Amino acid sequence: MEDASAKMKSSIILALDLEEDKPTRLLSHSLRLLEATHPYLCALKLNRQAVLPLGLFQGAKKLVDRAHDYGLPVIMDAKINDIGNTNRLIAEYYFRAGFDAVIASAFIGWEEGLQPVFETAHRLQKGVIVLVYMSHRGSAEGFGQLVQNPKTGKLEPQYRIFAQKALEWRADGAVVGATYPEKIRETNKILGDRVPIYSPGVGAQGGDVATAVKAGARYLIVGRTIVQAKEPDQAAKDLRDKAQKSR
Ligand code: 3DU
């Protein structure tokens, strides 16, 4: 990610979330968008709503390969959240299709949870990015609840404990919503330079690029503001420029 970001002079990750009635149209639309916007991106992110209709080893793999041709790593936003054996298999399939990193949920814990995902990923030189605080309102109900930290016995917000786990687990990234810049600031203090913050939620969800970057977001994940724009390439360029200026 660092290499791609330095080379492309961008910290914008395109979330390719499109709606089309047919998989063939979804693929051609996705390829077109990627072609138009790739000069302004540092990575691509796919969600299950793309992989399901496209097929992992069919359309999704084509998108992954195309992104790689453009020099962009590809993240699978799988939000992995099951028992260890299932998680490992999910991650392995995505890695086999060429994805460079997966997003996983810290709620499921380490032992018989995410440990096999981290072990598999790091053996294959792939990445794991953990959710620390999501961008939507309901995030407070889970990520924001006060819980007793089993290590200290003290009450702490769940996301602070997740940020500490991201460090402990040697995560390759932590997701913190751009809609909560104060949470970005707070988690950035815990994570420092060791775990970069990936921040979704600018534009359509109400977050602001400059505020998120100044608070400590290293990468910005952007979907609708680019993909639904009249001129997606211009929208991607504007976001890229704004983010670069705010550093
Ligand atoms: O709101 P946008 O259209 O810019 O899309 C944001 C993308 O990031 C979308 O794919 C969503 O699933 C993902 N995401 C979040 O929005 C919030 C999170 O905490 C994690 C991922």
Side-chain angles (χ1 to χ4, degrees):
M1 282 300 296
E2 276 176 26
D3 289 351
S5 180
K7 196 171 137 234
M8 308 300 287
K9 295 190 175 51
S10 171
S11 55
I12 305 296
I13 300 172
L14 176 66
L16 207 39
D17 302 330
L18 300 173
E19 276 187 69
E20 288 290 348
D21 52 358
K22 288 195 181 131
T24 46
R25 275 199 204 143
L26 180 60
L27 181 60
S28 54
H29 190 180
S30 302
L31 288 168
R32 265 201 320 276
L33 257 166
L34 185 57
E35 188 185 358
T37 56
H38 78 86
Y40 314 110
L41 309 176
C42 68
L44 175 70
K45 181 184 82 74
L46 293 186
N47 258 23
R48 276 166 295 190
Q49 76 263 32
V51 175
L52 286 173
L54 292 176
L56 179 59
F57 293 104
Q58 290 88 35
K61 188 169 185 315
K62 276 194 187 136
L63 281 174
V64 171
D65 291 345
R66 186 66 57 87
H68 286 166
D69 291 343
Y70 293 137
L72 304 175
V74 191
I75 299 166
M76 180 58 212
D77 193 351
K79 299 193 174 72
I80 292 175
N81 197 31
D82 210 311
I83 60 157
N85 187 56
T86 303
N87 292 341
R88 178 182 57 78
L89 285 165
I90 292 170
E92 272 179 9
Y93 273 117
Y94 287 127
F95 294 148
R96 254 199 265 164
F99 283 93
D100 302 285
V102 290
I103 296 182
S105 169
F107 273 107
I108 204 65
W110 181 249
E111 267 187 83
E112 296 177 7
L114 292 185
Q115 184 177 13
V117 175
F118 274 86
E119 285 174 357
T120 303
H122 290 169
R123 180 169 45 82
L124 300 172
Q125 312 249 308
K126 307 278 187 175
V128 185
I129 299 164
V130 294
L131 296 174
V132 167
Y133 198 94
M134 287 183 63
S135 55
H136 63 301
R137 286 224 191 148
S139 201
E141 294 173 35
F143 296 95
Q145 64 192 335
L146 271 184
V147 293
Q148 191 173 32
N149 187 333
K151 283 191 180 152
T152 60
K154 284 189 188 144
L155 282 181
E156 263 190 81
Q158 183 69 78
Y159 65 90
R160 286 186 65 93
I161 298 176
F162 285 164
Q164 288 152 16
K165 285 186 192 294
L167 274 179
E168 246 174 66
W169 297 348
R170 301 182 48 226
D172 303 282
V175 173
V176 185
T179 41
Y180 299 100
E182 74 289 353
K183 305 275 193 298
I184 298 180
R185 215 167 289 119
E186 210 179 329
T187 46
N188 194 32
K189 275 195 194 139
I190 300 171
L191 300 170
D193 290 337
R194 286 158 68 194
V195 182
I197 292 178
Y198 288 69
S199 198
V202 299
Q205 295 184 51
D208 175 65
V209 172
T211 314
V213 170
K214 284 188 181 126
R218 174 66 186 85
Y219 303 104
L220 299 172
I221 297 172
V222 189
R224 286 164 288 179
T225 307
I226 296 175
V227 305
Q228 292 179 4
K230 272 216 172 107
E231 295 176 21
D233 52 340
Q234 192 58 45
K237 183 179 183 302
D238 290 347
L239 284 160
R240 192 246 350 229
D241 292 346
K242 218 184 264 179
Q244 292 302 95
K245 254 188 240 150
S246 312
R247 284 199 190 282

